[in-house]
Amino acid sequence: RTAPVRAPLPVLLRAAALGAASGSRSSVGVTAVALTSARGDRGRLASGLGSTAGTAASGVFALGELVADKLPTTPSRLAPPALGGRVLLGGTAAVAEARRDGHDPVLPALVGAAAAIGAALLGARLRGVASQRFGSDKPGAFLEDGVAAALGWLGARRPPV
């Protein structure tokens, strides 16, 4: 068993992408890690997420969130429970990715959590602008879905060997 290596810049950038994805859609970062991980990967979290049950559960959660996000009754992402969940899931996705790739997870967790806060604030602002410009926030919501998916993919992809 080897000790984790201090996280280099590419790992921190992937942590930031996973955190930002979670700030946009809370489940996307964790789901992206689940889709790029497998049972038996390094790190208990990535291995569990990469299992059949972990991948299915995170996928169902992500699809439910994509639908719920468009409903008018969905509370603000900036409300304390929602923002706290985004921060927690952004940090969790970053930890899973860092451990899976053999890096110390502390700094990636902090970067992922901070990026989740920034993306949540920016996403709320951009949705407000879209609502004013188009009379609905739906165009902004769908654009944000795509950006969150791209960030999740960038953050969770495995480094080249």
Side-chain angles (χ1 to χ4, degrees):
R1 185 171 159 112
T2 60
V5 183
R6 190 173 63 95
L9 182 60
V11 173
L12 298 179
L13 292 174
R14 287 196 307 272
L18 288 168
S22 298
S24 295
R25 298 287 175 272
S26 61
S27 59
V28 169
V30 171
T31 301
V33 172
L35 292 172
T36 59
S37 297
R39 189 79 154 133
D41 273 346
R42 192 176 335 174
R44 230 183 282 169
L45 186 54
S47 178
L49 286 169
S51 70
T52 302
T55 301
S58 64
V60 167
F61 182 38
L63 287 173
E65 184 180 15
L66 288 174
V67 171
D69 177 67
K70 313 306 180 287
L71 301 175
T73 58
T74 302
S76 169
R77 73 180 78 203
L78 302 179
L83 186 59
R86 290 169 194 277
V87 170
L88 179 66
L89 289 170
T92 298
V95 165
E97 178 267 331
R99 282 193 176 144
R100 180 190 72 190
D101 296 342
H103 301 286
D104 180 66
V106 175
L107 192 52
L110 295 173
V111 168
I117 293 169
L121 293 169
L122 181 61
R125 176 74 179 121
L126 291 176
R127 290 274 294 266
V129 169
S131 182
Q132 288 175 343
R133 174 137 175 119
F134 302 110
S136 169
D137 72 342
K138 297 285 187 285
F142 287 113
L143 177 62
E144 192 176 16
D145 289 344
V147 169
L151 287 168
W153 176 80
L154 286 170
R157 67 190 176 93
R158 291 180 179 267
V161 178

